[in-house]
Amino acid sequence: MTIAPAAALRPRFVLAGNPSVLWALLVLAIFTLGVSFLSEGMGVGLISTSFVKTLGKTLCLCLAAVAMDVVWGYCGILSLGHMAFFGLGGYAIGQWLMTARTTEIVAQSLAGQPLPPTPRELEQAVATQIFGVVGADEFPWIWAFSDSLGLQLLMVVLVPGLLAGLFGWLAFRSRVTGVYLSILTQGMTLALSLWLFQNDSGLRGNNGLSGLQNIPGLDGWGQATLSVAFLWGSALALALGYVLFAWLTSGRRGSVIRAIRDDEARVRFLGYGVEGTKLLVFTLTAMVTAIAGALYYPQAGIINPGEVAPLASVYLAVWVAIGGRGRLYGAALGAALVSLLSSWFTSGGVPDVPLGFATIRWTDWWTVLLGLGFVAVTLLAPKGLGGLFDLVPRRPSRRQGDWGPDDGAWRREEG
Amino acid sequence: MTTLLEVDSISVTFDGFKAINDLSLAIASTGLRAIIGPNGAGKTTFMDIVTGKTRPDRGRVLWGEGGMNLVGLSEARIARLGLGRKFQRPTVFEAQSVAENLDMALKNPRQPLRLLLARRTAADRVRVEAIAEEIGLRAHLTRRAGELSHGQKQWLEIGMLLAQDPKLLLVDEPAAGMTVAEREHTTDLLKRAARTRAVVVVEHDMEFVRRLDCRVTVLHEGRVLAEGSLDHVTADPNVIDVYLGR
Ligand SMILES: Nc1ncnc2c1ncn2[C@@H]1O[C@H](COP(=O)(O)OP(=O)(O)OP(=O)(O)O)[C@@H](O)[C@H]1O
Ligand SMILES: [Mg+2]
C-alpha cells in the first residue's frame, strides 16, 4: 500500500473534507428556492401558503433531528427529552409575540378614548387580555422580559441551555447512562409538560400561547409573504446548524465524541473528561433544538403543553432511527419524510380503505403504520434510510486514499 | 532510583471475597517490572485500583515525588497525571481508523473546551506516523481498528499508550493471542519504552517474562508472594507450590 499515511489525519476545512455537507446544503438551497418560486407569496402560486408553512415547519423539525442525531447517533446519549427544549424555545418566542401583538391591539382599541391610557393602564389591559383565560390580570414574573424582542430571543437559548446544563450536570456527574438516562429525560419532559398544564405556571396552562403567526410590526406583509420569509429563516437555521454539527463531529473532537458513544470508560483512561464533553454536546444540541422550536411555532401559530409531552421526544428519536443515526443527512431525511407523511395521513389526505367488515381510517391507523415502518427499517435496514446512499456506487476519487482502502462511505461522512 | 508509584497496604473486597489483601508494592521511575500470578491473583484488580477504576477499602496509592494520594481521584484525572493503561482484553475504538485512535491518545489538552477548538497539527501527524512505525502499523493507518488482527489491536493499544506519553505504563497481558514473532516485537517495544519511563507488565507466559529480563513480583490471593529476579522467584518453594507446580 502506498498511501501517504500523513493523509490519514490531514486537516481539511469541514466542508471540503466532507462532501456530504456540501450536497446537503445544495439540496436545501434548491428546495428553498424551488418552494419560494412555486409559492403564493413570492412566485407562481402552485404551493398554498399553508403548505409553505408545513414545509417551513418541516425544516425546523429537520434541525431538531440533526441535533438529536449528534447527541444520540454520535455521542450515544439517547435523550428522550429534546422536544422539551424545542417547546421551551417556542414558548420563549411566543411570549414576545403575544405581548407585542396584544399590546398593539389594545393600544388601538384604547386610542379612541378621550384620555390616552397611562402605561400602567395599558399594561394591565394587555395582561387581562392575555391572562384572562386563566383568571389572572397581571403579568407573571416569567414574562418580565416579554416586551423586549432582544431579551426574549436570548431566553430562547438561555432557558433551554440552563435546563439542559443543569439536568446534564446532575445526570452525567452521577454516571447515569443508557436506559436509565433515557427514562430520566422522559421524566424531565413529562414534568415540564405537567407544570405547563397548570394554570398558575404563568404560561396560560392548557390554553398555551396562540396567535403566534401574526408578527408584530410586519402586518403589511401578509401571511403568504411571511410564510416564505419563515421558510427562508428555517432553511438558514438548518444550514447553519448543519455546518455547526458537521464541524462538531469532525476532527479530534468528533473522534472523541464517537469514542464516548462506543466505550466511554475507555475514553476516561485516555484522560478525557467524559462528563464535561457529554454535557457540552447535550447542552449545545438542546440550544440548537430550542432555536428550531422558536422558528417552528410562529409558523404553527399556537403552542400548548401537549407539544412537550414525552411522546414528542420519542417521535424525534424514531425519525432519527428511521433516517439513520450517525449521519446528519440521514436524520434530516428521516424527520422530513416521516413528519410530512404523518401530516398527510393524519390530516385525512389519504383516502380510507374499506375492507368490508371494517374501514381503515388513516387518521387512526397512521401510528400503526409508522410503528410497522419503524420495525421494518430496524430489521431490514439498520443503517436507516440514509444507509441507502451507501449503495450508490462511487467512482474512485483521489480522496479515497484518505479514508481507507475499502469504500466504507459512512466513514467519509463521519470523518 | 526514585520511586514513582507506591502502593501502601491496599485491600479490596468484592462481595466478601478479598481480591486484594493488604498489598504493598513500589515501582521505580524507570525500567520494567513484571507481575505474575495464577488466575484470580488480583493482578488486574491491582491495576484497576491504581488507575481509579476500583476504589480500595483501605490503603493508599502514592504517586510521584510529592506522594500524592491517587485514591478517590477520577480515572481521567489519574490518566492526565501520567498513568497509561492497556487492558487485558484489547480495547481500541473499532469504528475508527488506526490514525484516529492514535491521534485521540496523543498528549494534548484534554479539557472539553480546549478539545472543542483543538486542531490536528503537523507535529501531531508526524508523531502519529512515528508511533505507527514503531508498532508496525504504519501501512494500516487508514484502516478501521476493528479490521485489525488480535495482535495488531494489542499493538495499537500499546501505541495509544505511547502516544499518551505517560510516566507509568500499566500493561495487562500484552502478548495474549500473539504469534512467537509478534511476541518478540512486543518485548522489544516494552523494553524500549522502559528506558525512559516505568513499565509494569502483567503476563502469564513465562517465556515472555524471561525475555523481558526484569524484576518480577509474584501475586497470590491478593498479596505479594515473592519478589526478585525470575530465577529467584521460580526457585521459591512457595511460588512453586501455588503457581508453577500445578
Ligand atoms: N468487579 C468485581 N466484582 C467481583 N469480583 C471481582 C471483580 N473484579 C475482580 N473480581 C474477582 O477478584 C479476583 C481477582 O481478579 P483479577 O481480575 O484481578 O485477577 P487476575 O490476577 O487479573 O486474573 P487473570 O490472570 O485471570 O486475569 C477474581 O477472583 C475475580 O473474580
Ligand atoms: Mg487479569
Side-chain angles (χ1 to χ4, degrees):
Chain A
M1 213 182 313
T2 53
I3 297 158
L9 294 169
R10 185 189 299 146
R12 270 183 310 248
F13 184 52
V14 173
L15 298 182
N18 199 341
S20 82
V21 177
L22 285 180
W23 278 112
L25 294 182
L26 189 69
V27 169
L28 179 63
I30 292 173
F31 168 82
T32 311
L33 288 174
V35 173
S36 311
F37 179 68
L38 297 175
S39 71
E40 284 174 24
M42 292 277 188
V44 297
L46 271 178
I47 300 183
S48 72
T49 295
S50 80
F51 196 58
V52 173
K53 285 188 179 183
T54 302
L55 294 175
K57 286 190 292 182
T58 303
L59 293 182
C60 298
L61 296 177
C62 289
L63 179 55
V66 170
M68 176 69 191
D69 193 18
V70 171
V71 79
W72 179 32
Y74 285 84
C75 199
I77 306 166
L78 175 50
S79 164
L80 294 178
H82 259 54
M83 285 310 264
F85 308 123
F86 191 84
L88 281 176
Y91 266 102
I93 197 66
Q95 286 180 298
W96 175 77
L97 286 168
M98 260 196 109
T99 307
R101 173 81 182 157
T102 312
T103 307
E104 269 181 14
I105 294 172
V106 170
Q108 247 166 35
S109 71
L110 293 183
Q113 290 181 354
L115 269 181
T118 63
R120 175 76 190 126
E121 281 169 349
L122 185 62
E123 190 193 312
Q124 214 142 30
V126 173
T128 313
Q129 188 73 27
I130 297 179
F131 302 104
V133 284
V134 289
D137 55 2
E138 288 286 348
F139 274 100
W141 65 270
I142 41 174
W143 289 66
F145 304 130
S146 66
D147 54 350
S148 155
L149 174 60
L151 285 176
Q152 211 56 51
L153 283 177
L154 201 64
M155 293 300 135
V156 165
V157 288
L158 220 56
V159 173
L162 281 175
L163 176 64
L166 186 70
F167 177 89
W169 184 69
L170 290 172
F172 301 144
R173 199 184 50 134
S174 351
R175 298 201 178 168
V176 183
T177 53
V179 172
Y180 300 100
L181 186 84
S182 302
I183 292 172
L184 273 190
T185 56
Q186 281 269 283
M188 174 195 72
T189 188
L190 178 64
L192 181 69
S193 84
L194 290 180
W195 176 72
L196 286 170
F197 265 120
Q198 296 185 340
N199 280 347
D200 52 12
S201 68
L203 289 163
R204 301 190 358 134
N206 61 356
N207 305 288
L209 309 182
S210 54
L212 310 183
Q213 73 279 18
N214 304 306
I215 311 301
L218 297 180
D219 292 328
W221 286 36
Q223 287 299 314
T225 315
L226 271 179
S227 67
V228 177
F230 268 98
L231 178 79
W232 281 63
S234 309
L236 184 69
L238 176 57
L240 291 176
Y242 200 98
V243 173
L244 171 75
F245 288 132
W247 171 81
L248 184 70
T249 53
S250 70
R252 186 180 296 137
R253 65 194 150 260
S255 229
V256 173
I257 288 171
R258 278 172 289 143
I260 288 174
R261 170 192 69 194
D262 294 338
D263 191 348
E264 69 170 57
R266 183 71 182 86
V267 178
R268 288 200 182 96
F269 291 107
L270 287 178
Y272 289 101
V274 168
E275 290 72 33
T277 311
K278 279 164 91 169
L279 184 60
L280 207 111
V281 171
F282 190 75
T283 310
L284 189 67
T285 54
M287 283 157 72
V288 172
T289 309
I291 293 173
L295 281 161
Y296 180 96
Y297 287 104
Q299 304 181 71
I302 180 163
I303 180 170
N304 63 57
E307 305 279 318
V308 299
L311 199 57
S313 297
V314 176
Y315 273 126
L316 185 64
V318 168
W319 297 343
V320 173
I322 288 181
R325 64 200 153 108
R327 55 178 98 214
L328 299 179
Y329 60 86
L333 197 74
L337 200 76
V338 181
S339 72
L340 282 177
L341 275 180
S342 166
S343 56
W344 188 40
F345 275 99
T346 52
S347 66
V350 186
D352 295 345
V353 182
L355 292 178
F357 57 93
T359 310
I360 295 186
R361 268 185 218 89
W362 288 114
T363 39
D364 303 331
W365 280 85
W366 156 245
T367 35
V368 176
L369 190 68
L370 177 63
L372 290 176
F374 180 59
V375 172
V377 167
T378 316
L379 293 179
L380 304 176
K383 285 166 154 190
L385 298 175
L388 297 177
F389 286 91
D390 293 354
L391 303 177
V392 179
R394 281 161 197 278
R395 97 192 118 79
S397 69
R398 185 188 58 78
R399 203 167 263 122
Q400 197 166 9
D402 295 359
W403 293 99
D406 64 326
D407 198 7
W410 64 273
R411 237 172 320 145
R412 216 176 298 163
E413 320 303 355
E414 286 200 342
Chain B
M1 194 172 278
T2 55
T3 303
L4 179 64
L5 181 81
E6 195 189 335
V7 171
D8 182 19
S9 49
I10 48 171
S11 299
V12 70
T13 309
F14 295 120
D15 314 320
F17 170 75
K18 273 202 163 207
I20 296 286
N21 190 0
D22 200 28
L23 174 71
S24 294
L25 201 79
I27 307 289
S29 57
T30 54
L32 270 169
R33 167 73 66 89
I35 296 184
I36 60 173
N39 290 114
K43 306 178 296 288
T44 301
T45 307
F46 155 75
M47 291 198 175
D48 286 347
I49 290 171
V50 172
T51 55
K53 188 179 176 192
T54 300
R55 222 187 145 131
D57 304 331
R58 277 192 300 109
R60 300 180 303 167
V61 179
L62 303 177
W63 171 254
E65 300 271 293
M68 173 182 199
N69 191 356
L70 299 183
V71 173
L73 299 185
S74 75
E75 298 97 313
R77 178 81 203 285
I78 292 175
R80 285 199 297 268
L81 285 173
L83 283 93
R85 173 171 187 187
K86 187 209 150 304
F87 288 79
Q88 184 161 354
R89 182 179 57 85
T91 40
V92 296
F93 299 104
E94 309 219 331
Q96 306 199 36
S97 72
V98 170
E100 284 173 310
N101 270 281
L102 291 173
D103 174 78
M104 243 187 287
L106 282 179
K107 194 175 186 175
N108 274 316
R110 299 286 206 240
Q111 301 91 322
L113 283 175
R114 300 276 302 269
L115 169 66
L116 199 64
L117 301 174
R119 294 192 66 90
R120 289 169 173 154
T121 63
D124 289 340
R125 268 169 285 144
V126 169
R127 183 101 181 88
V128 164
E129 264 181 68
I131 293 167
E133 181 78 54
E134 191 166 358
I135 57 175
L137 292 178
R138 191 179 163 128
H140 303 281
L141 271 174
T142 55
R143 278 180 73 189
R144 261 176 70 178
E147 296 168 1
L148 299 177
S149 72
H150 189 79
Q152 287 173 322
K153 282 183 197 167
Q154 301 265 41
W155 281 337
L156 176 56
E157 207 178 355
I158 294 175
M160 288 164 73
L161 265 188
L162 298 175
Q164 270 177 273
D165 193 20
K167 297 193 181 82
L168 171 64
L169 275 77
L170 296 167
V171 191
D172 205 348
E173 304 207 13
M178 285 190 172
T179 64
V180 176
E182 285 174 335
R183 276 160 194 252
E184 275 174 20
H185 184 180
T186 308
T187 327
D188 293 344
L189 267 175
L190 294 174
K191 278 182 159 174
R192 226 174 310 143
R195 281 189 208 138
T196 51
R197 47 171 86 78
V199 178
V200 175
V201 183
V202 164
E203 191 46 72
H204 271 296
D205 182 50
M206 274 307 154
E207 272 318 297
F208 187 86
V209 174
R210 185 169 300 283
R211 242 180 280 117
L212 288 177
D213 186 27
C214 65
R215 200 175 166 83
V216 176
T217 302
V218 185
L219 284 195
H220 177 55
E221 291 176 347
R223 62 167 94 220
V224 176
L225 193 62
E227 197 169 296
S229 71
L230 187 63
D231 289 331
H232 171 82
V233 298
T234 48
D236 188 313
N238 285 332
V239 175
I240 295 172
D241 216 28
V242 303
Y243 186 43
L244 303 158
R246 289 189 301 174

